[in-house]
Amino acid sequence: MTATLTPVKKRSALTKGQLPKSAPYIVLALALILGAAILALIGFNAFGWGIVSAVLFTVGLVGWSAAVEGSRRAKDKLATCLVVGAFLISLLPLVSVIWTVLVKGLPGLLDPGFLGTSMNGVTGAFDNKSVENGAPVVGGIYHALIGTVQITLLATVISVPVGLLTSIYLVEYGDDRPLARAITFFVDVMTGIPSIVAGLFAAAFFFAVAGPGTKTGAVAAVALSVLMIPVVVRSSEEMLKIVPNELREAAYALGVRKWRTILKVVIPTAISGIASGVTLAIARVIGETAPILVTAGFATSINNNVFGGWMASLPTFIYTQILNPTSPSNPGPSDQRAWGAALVLIILVMLLNLAARLVARIFAPKAGR
């Protein structure tokens, strides 16, 4: 009977002297335990625990790697820890904002009538009754939500054609001409314009055209379009530039006119990036407060006419509810409405991003075409 000998695998030079795959998890567990022990001695708090644990994890992993793998791989792990740490630190404000808005905004969002009623006729007596007797909070954001949607939609209708056509001129027809250089310069200047200046410009323009005291949603849309156009131009210009010239040349070789090549080849190829740029422009202005206060004022009732009368928006609603509570002696209900409106505003921005991805997927060139 012949015995079968199982060969023993020897570690090659490539696998010898490496940390086990579980090393980061072991070091992380020890760092968390040791960090909690240190913080327990000087006063425990979650933020300090995270910082101390991160430092201990980095020192422990890099030191272990230097002892086992050598200085070269230890330096690599140190760089990895620093990059990951920087990413987590940059993520902290976002997570903190989202968590705070969720915790404080959900009670207002879940109130009956919050999304379907306005502040028309709501006085401090209702808020006092809500605080003293535990009655539901009266008043909602319907008028501000309608105003935000209408103003932003009109601003988008104004900005997207102007910005897209400008970017097409710069990329396809500009050829470094004096006019193209001047447009690029002014677009760069407009990118840094403070929002209140855009509001004052729109207000002064309509005061001169339609008379003093003209405050409507359309005036606010013009002010927001001044802020949106540079973003749309810059983002669309970069997307059009990365379209391969071979696609244009192939269309020209088939005898297709330039305008038709731009319409049927260039724009569909870059539509994904253009949609993302438009979304960024909308997200840039949907939360603006100062220009809308100057140009559209603030209303407590529903106004469905964007071209007539004062109109509220979610940013101005949040601003007035915090600055001037409906009941100064009991600001709790006003704070609840403001946080609920902030949560709705964040949800709107998220939906805009999802819509941009959907548009990009629908209109992007299909594979194999």
Side-chain angles (χ1 to χ4, degrees):
M1 185 174 182
T2 305
T4 303
L5 298 177
T6 302
V8 179
K9 294 183 179 180
K10 295 183 179 180
R11 301 184 71 182
S12 64
L14 295 176
T15 59
K16 185 173 62 177
Q18 292 183 356
L19 291 179
K21 293 183 178 180
S22 60
Y25 304 102
I26 296 173
V27 176
L28 178 60
L30 294 175
L32 290 173
I33 296 172
L34 188 55
I38 294 174
L39 265 294
L41 297 176
I42 61 176
F44 184 85
N45 65 85
F47 181 76
W49 181 35
I51 295 297
V52 173
S53 299
V55 173
L56 293 175
F57 172 79
T58 303
V59 172
L61 185 62
V62 172
W64 191 3
S65 177
V68 176
E69 299 177 323
S71 61
R72 181 179 179 183
R73 293 185 178 178
K75 292 177 182 178
D76 178 72
K77 284 184 170 53
L78 175 61
T80 302
C81 290
L82 293 177
V83 171
V84 174
F87 168 73
L88 293 176
I89 291 173
S90 65
L91 202 62
L92 281 176
L94 176 62
V95 175
S96 176
V97 168
I98 293 176
W99 176 255
T100 303
V101 174
L102 279 174
V103 170
K104 296 188 176 183
L106 275 177
L109 187 61
L110 297 177
D111 273 346
F114 180 72
L115 295 176
T117 59
S118 69
M119 292 295 293
N120 190 26
V122 178
T123 63
F126 291 95
D127 287 357
N128 294 335
K129 183 179 178 181
S130 174
V131 173
E132 295 169 0
N133 302 330
V137 176
V138 179
I141 63 167
Y142 181 76
H143 63 301
L145 185 60
I146 292 297
T148 296
V149 173
Q150 290 182 340
I151 292 172
T152 307
L153 181 61
L154 182 58
T156 304
V157 170
I158 296 171
S159 304
V160 172
V162 174
L164 183 57
L165 291 175
T166 302
S167 62
I168 290 174
Y169 171 78
L170 292 175
V171 175
E172 304 293 339
Y173 298 96
D175 296 330
D176 202 30
R177 296 175 182 173
L179 178 59
R181 292 197 299 269
I183 292 174
T184 301
F185 172 76
F186 284 113
V187 167
D188 291 338
V189 172
M190 289 175 64
T191 304
I193 288 180
S195 59
I196 185 63
V197 175
L200 291 174
F201 160 75
F205 176 77
F206 278 91
F207 287 177
V209 173
T214 304
K215 288 187 176 184
T216 64
V219 182
V222 171
L224 296 185
S225 67
V226 174
L227 302 174
M228 288 182 65
I229 288 174
V231 181
V232 176
V233 171
R234 273 298 176 210
S235 58
S236 301
E237 182 183 4
E238 294 304 320
M239 291 301 105
L240 294 175
K241 283 181 179 178
I242 65 177
V243 175
N245 283 327
E246 288 79 3
L247 295 178
R248 299 179 176 90
E249 293 169 356
Y252 298 152
L254 294 174
V256 181
R257 295 178 180 273
K258 188 169 186 176
W259 70 268
R260 194 170 182 83
T261 300
I262 296 171
L263 186 63
K264 295 294 185 178
V265 177
V266 177
I267 293 179
T269 304
I271 190 63
S272 176
I274 293 174
S276 299
V278 171
T279 304
L280 288 175
I282 295 174
R284 159 78 171 83
V285 302
I286 197 172
E288 290 291 346
T289 306
I292 298 180
L293 280 174
V294 173
T295 55
F298 177 79
T300 59
S301 58
I302 300 170
N303 179 12
N304 291 316
N305 183 11
V306 73
F307 296 100
W310 287 25
M311 179 172 283
S313 67
L314 287 174
T316 57
F317 178 83
I318 296 169
Y319 174 80
T320 53
Q321 285 293 304
I322 294 296
L323 188 65
N324 298 311
T326 308
S327 174
S329 59
N330 290 308
S334 294
D335 291 344
Q336 181 173 303
R337 297 189 196 99
W339 283 108
L343 179 57
V344 172
L345 196 57
I346 291 177
I347 293 174
L348 284 178
V349 174
M350 182 187 69
L351 293 177
L352 286 172
N353 281 275
L354 293 177
R357 291 178 179 273
L358 181 62
V359 169
R361 177 170 295 184
I362 293 174
F363 293 100
K366 302 299 185 290
R369 290 181 60 183

